[in-house]
Amino acid sequence: METVLEVKDLCVTYQNKSRSVYAVKDVSFSINQGDSLGIVGESGSGKSTLAMAILRLLPPKTAKVTGEAYFQGKELLTLDDASLREIRWKHLAVVFQKAMNALSPVHRISTQIEDIYRQHEPKATRQEIRQRSQELFQMVGLPDRVYRLYPHEMSGGMLQRVAIAISLLHSPQLLIFDEATTALDVVTQGQILEEVVRLEKALNTTRIMITHDMSVVSASCTKTAVMYAGQMMEIGQTRDVLKRPMHPYTQGLLHSFPTLTGERKTLESIPGSLPDLSVEHAGCVFAPRCPFATDRCHAKRPAARQMEDGRTVACWRYGGESDG
């Protein structure tokens, strides 16, 4: 199966005059065509920073990005600006968390879509753009009249659907959802997730879903990656990671999330809080909050180890050599 995106040892460090913050550290993963990868973790764990680094949307003066990110064989982090513009939004697109902030409040949806479409297809006619927009509106469950509306005339759910339609204008091979359903009510979120899954099958699109909501990943993703404090703790098939979590952090996340089926249990939050990411941690970054931590966990960082079921886990409980 073709690999759409391969990330190797990606690091992001935010820097100012007084200190550095290690927001993403040595992250590696790959995603194949037709896959859907859910990246989960607490707020502040580096999920959005990871996506913005891959898209090269971080400010270069304050964010230092190292490592490699290959999209269909092209290294995104070293690509020249002109080549990157050819890829971004056409072959590699993103849906941001708050669509109402991504759309101009003083222009009709039609005007914005025409401007966006012509960035890659400058000779396209209004009729061609209108026809493509109508096809996508129908796919995401929007009426044709939306095309002539202003953003303030629509609900949050409709705006989110518009944002999804815009991201699909050029049928990208990889689509990144950055907390794209967080601000929506449960019913609307469920409808959009169903539409997203249906669309990616119809358009053969590969997807990355960034969220802190385990139910979103469970309902719409084939693979799950668990991030904590800028590092990958566990990556594998969703059915394996959510049903049989191995890393203590993944177990803690699941114990703090309510379920509608099975035995009733008291929800247990993970004690403590995220570590200070302006400090280099010699051992496992989760060790101060881990109920199973030993002296070795605090002294040395465990390397990611591949398990028999194919998932990758970075934890001393499952062996492996230190990578730091």
Side-chain angles (χ1 to χ4, degrees), residues 147-173:
Y147 195 70
R148 296 294 299 164
L149 296 180
Y150 289 94
H152 71 267
E153 296 178 291
M154 294 180 284
S155 66
M158 293 174 73
L159 288 171
Q160 202 65 60
R161 285 181 167 89
V162 169
I164 294 172
I166 289 174
S167 70
L168 294 170
L169 279 173
H170 299 288
S171 300
Q173 285 76 49

Side-chain angles (χ1 to χ4, degrees), residues 9-116:
D9 300 321
L10 187 68
C11 299
V12 179
T13 305
Y14 292 117
Q15 299 173 317
N16 59 25
K17 293 181 180 179
S18 60
R19 65 173 185 166
S20 298
V21 176
Y22 307 97
V24 174
K25 192 172 180 66
D26 300 323
V27 168
S28 299
F29 68 92
S30 63
I31 181 169
N32 297 327
Q33 185 175 1
D35 279 343
S36 48
L37 174 68
I39 303 179
V40 297
E42 294 172 90
S43 296
S45 60
K47 306 184 298 298
S48 294
T49 293
L50 172 62
M52 295 302 101
I54 293 171
L55 291 162
R56 277 179 53 184
L57 294 176
L58 295 175
K61 291 185 178 180
T62 56
K64 179 183 177 182
V65 181
T66 61
E68 300 170 305
Y70 292 93
F71 174 70
Q72 296 183 328
K74 297 180 180 179
E75 216 288 89
L76 295 174
L77 303 185
T78 58
L79 210 59
D80 62 90
D81 291 342
S83 298
L84 181 63
R85 282 194 295 270
E86 282 296 313
I87 292 175
R88 199 166 55 195
W89 312 120
K90 185 174 183 179
H91 304 289
L92 172 59
V94 60
V95 181
F96 294 107
Q97 180 173 357
K98 295 181 179 179
M100 55 286 295
N101 294 340
L103 296 170
S104 168
V106 296
H107 294 91
R108 296 183 189 272
I109 297 299
S110 58
T111 302
Q112 299 185 57
I113 289 180
E114 287 173 7
D115 288 346
I116 294 169

